[in-house]
Amino acid sequence: MKGKHIVLGITGGIAAYKSVMLLRLLIKSGAEVQVVMTPSAKEFVSPVTFASLSSKPVVSEFFTANSGEWHSHVDLGLWADLMVVAPATASTIGKMANGIADNMLVTTYLSAKEDVMVAPAMDLDMWNHPGTQRNIATLEKDGVIIVQPGSGELASGLEGKGRMAEPQEILEEIKKYFNKRKDLSGLKAMVTAGPTYENIDPVRFIGNYSSGKMGYEVARELDERGAEVTLISGPVNLPVPSDSIKKIEVVSAQEMYTEAKKIFDENQIAVFAAAVADYAPVEVAENKIKRENQEEMTITLKRNPDIAASLGALKKGQTTVGFALETQNELENAKRKLHDKNFDIIVLNSMQHPQAGFMKDTNKVTIINQNGEIEDFDVKSKRAVAKDIVDAIKKWREND
Ligand code: C5P
């Protein structure tokens, strides 16, 4: 934790007194902490307490009243290696989920470049309310890490879920976050993503609805955890998740294969997330094909290379991961594919679930490895699924 920059956001809940201890623990573990308080948080604990413990003035307003000094939420957002909001009231969670930037804390959140962790604290009915749960789900989808509240006696005198996690637990989550983050340093990883387009003539192609989201999220996660990532991407409408990811743009399966083959040897991890067209037209017409006076037309197709299977056969210690999208005998087919393409790990996308699949932001997967271990996951954001996949890669490499 030494030297880590943490923005500690404090909102107006009775659990704010526990954040004094959290700040103390963070400082003791070597972090540099900047406290940001909402106006109502100051009703619960004096900013002087936090300022003394962090050796930094607390930021709460956009301007210092007497000097007019401007506090830049953008600079704070850039400075932070992690922002932790503890306690997070239902109100602040709602503002964060909806981008309501009416105080320093939420503007800092919206400017934060790195991850954000939230430790909710509220009464059990507020926690269980569909409005709160919807906002929590939105934050999770946006990549915010939620430190779940505990159950027990609440300030209201009621018993139930809603009390903020204990400072020590939050500290453990923060430590885990930083330790986990760079656990792939020194490794090279390649990811294929998106669809491929197989040209018919200069203006038409055979393609598919893959958005590339799953592959891009895997690339982001590998990069965040320290791997040197090359993303070989078919045509998609997505920004590269990080400047440190090298992107190679391709259009057809053949091009994707050529690029993947060139770099396979130098990578220790290869994730095949692309939805590669199985067939391509034998001939690509030089000019736009004219509509003739005929009811039917035929395009003859030839088989494309199976990128994953071809490279899987050349494996020299790489950990390879593939995806399977099955409509029948899901598990059996995924296991067969794992074997046939020599994958170490296969990610089975559930077709049965309405929130899973192409073009969606969520996915429901089962992860299977060569040892026959099977892990079923709930519906999650693709970003959270990417974390599970990279965890599985890490675990496999440790045990292999
Ligand atoms: O055989 P199927 O297309 O279902 O296999 C899916 C897995 O194989 C995915 O990981 C996909 O990226 C990879 N694949 C490939 N090249 C192909 C077809 C599939 O790399 N031509």
Side-chain angles (χ1 to χ4, degrees):
M1 296 282 290
K2 201 165 175 340
K4 292 283 183 230
H5 292 173
I6 295 176
V7 168
L8 177 60
I10 298 173
T11 73
I14 187 69
Y17 79 90
K18 289 196 202 170
S19 300
V20 176
M21 186 47 79
L22 174 60
L23 172 59
R24 181 96 189 87
L25 291 171
L26 286 169
I27 298 288
K28 267 174 88 175
S29 61
E32 242 188 90
V33 185
Q34 173 64 61
V35 174
V36 180
M37 295 175 87
T38 60
S40 63
K42 292 190 278 186
E43 308 276 337
F44 289 87
V45 182
S46 162
V48 178
T49 309
F50 290 112
S52 320
L53 288 173
S54 65
S55 310
K56 284 187 204 300
V58 166
V59 176
S60 183
E61 316 296 337
F62 293 106
F63 292 95
T64 304
N66 50 7
S67 67
E69 187 197 349
W70 160 249
H71 300 133
S72 169
H73 51 89
V74 177
D75 288 349
L76 261 185
L78 286 173
W79 176 82
D81 293 317
L82 177 71
M83 178 172 183
V84 182
V85 185
T89 56
S91 163
T92 292
I93 287 168
K95 287 180 187 178
M96 289 168 71
N98 294 286
I100 300 170
D102 68 347
N103 63 38
M104 193 65 193
L105 190 148
V106 185
T107 47
T108 305
Y109 164 66
L110 293 175
S111 304
K113 287 269 182 243
E114 295 293 340
D115 283 321
V116 179
M117 195 177 273
V118 156
M122 65 197 76
D123 217 38
L124 78 159
D125 295 320
M126 291 176 81
W127 172 252
N128 287 329
H129 194 281
T132 308
Q133 289 305 313
R134 201 165 47 236
N135 288 332
I136 290 282
T138 302
L139 289 184
E140 278 188 309
K141 188 166 154 269
D142 292 343
V144 172
I145 303 156
I146 310 291
V147 185
Q148 288 293 321
S151 289
E153 195 184 329
L154 301 164
S156 61
L158 297 172
E159 289 262 331
K161 190 167 176 180
R163 53 189 284 164
M164 187 175 86
E166 294 305 318
Q168 191 64 45
E169 285 172 53
I170 300 174
L171 180 76
E172 291 310 319
E173 285 299 319
I174 297 171
K175 281 189 174 164
K176 218 163 79 188
Y177 170 80
F178 282 119
N179 288 340
K180 201 176 121 184
R181 258 186 100 197
K182 298 293 174 202
D183 56 358
L184 299 176
S185 293
L187 294 176
K188 285 188 169 188
M190 58 182 273
V191 179
T192 68
T196 63
Y197 287 178
E198 311 299 332
N199 286 348
I200 298 169
D201 69 15
V203 292
R204 302 185 183 94
F205 59 83
I206 299 172
N208 61 66
Y209 287 121
S210 166
S211 61
K213 280 179 190 154
M214 196 60 249
Y216 274 55
E217 288 300 346
V218 171
R220 176 208 299 276
E221 179 69 11
L222 288 164
D223 170 72
E224 281 183 1
R225 287 166 65 167
E228 195 182 322
V229 181
T230 307
L231 178 60
I232 305 176
S233 174
V236 297
N237 209 353
L238 293 171
V240 186
S242 152
D243 290 342
S244 46
I245 295 175
K246 182 176 173 210
K247 182 180 173 184
I248 300 174
E249 287 181 13
V250 296
V251 176
S252 66
Q254 187 59 52
E255 282 171 22
M256 188 176 269
Y257 177 53
T258 306
E259 295 300 331
K261 205 169 152 188
K262 270 190 217 161
I263 61 166
F264 184 65
D265 269 356
E266 62 198 54
N267 281 280
Q268 290 81 43
I269 297 167
V271 180
F272 298 95
V276 185
D278 290 322
Y279 290 90
V282 171
E283 277 176 52
V284 182
E286 211 173 305
N287 297 308
K288 186 179 167 198
I289 301 172
K290 292 244 180 307
R291 184 174 52 242
E292 305 286 353
N293 219 356
Q294 69 206 43
E295 285 306 311
E296 291 181 358
M297 82 168 288
T298 305
I299 299 171
T300 309
L301 304 175
K302 62 171 191 283
R303 221 190 159 91
N304 268 333
D306 188 318
I307 304 169
S310 313
L311 298 182
L314 304 172
K315 231 156 93 166
K316 292 191 206 88
Q318 284 97 332
T319 304
T320 60
V321 182
F323 286 76
L325 188 76
E326 305 293 335
T327 49
Q328 291 161 321
N329 303 330
E330 289 184 311
L331 212 53
E332 205 179 299
N333 280 327
K335 282 183 181 165
R336 190 176 38 77
K337 215 158 274 181
L338 177 83
H339 179 260
D340 288 352
K341 304 201 188 204
N342 200 17
F343 290 135
D344 297 285
I345 295 166
I346 194 153
V347 183
L348 171 63
N349 286 293
S350 170
M351 282 292 282
Q352 322 287 12
H353 206 283
Q355 280 168 285
F358 272 21
M359 297 204 289
K360 302 261 169 52
D361 286 328
T362 47
N363 217 353
K364 174 154 178 34
V365 303
T366 303
I367 299 181
I368 307 154
N369 67 25
Q370 278 271 8
N371 291 344
E373 288 159 346
I374 300 175
E375 218 177 332
D376 254 323
F377 294 89
D378 290 335
V379 173
K380 292 185 178 187
S381 67
K382 285 190 173 168
R383 186 180 287 203
V385 172
K387 284 196 165 66
D388 293 334
I389 294 170
V390 176
D391 282 346
I393 295 173
K394 174 83 172 95
K395 208 165 113 200
W396 179 259
R397 291 185 63 84
E398 276 169 359
N399 298 335
D400 202 21

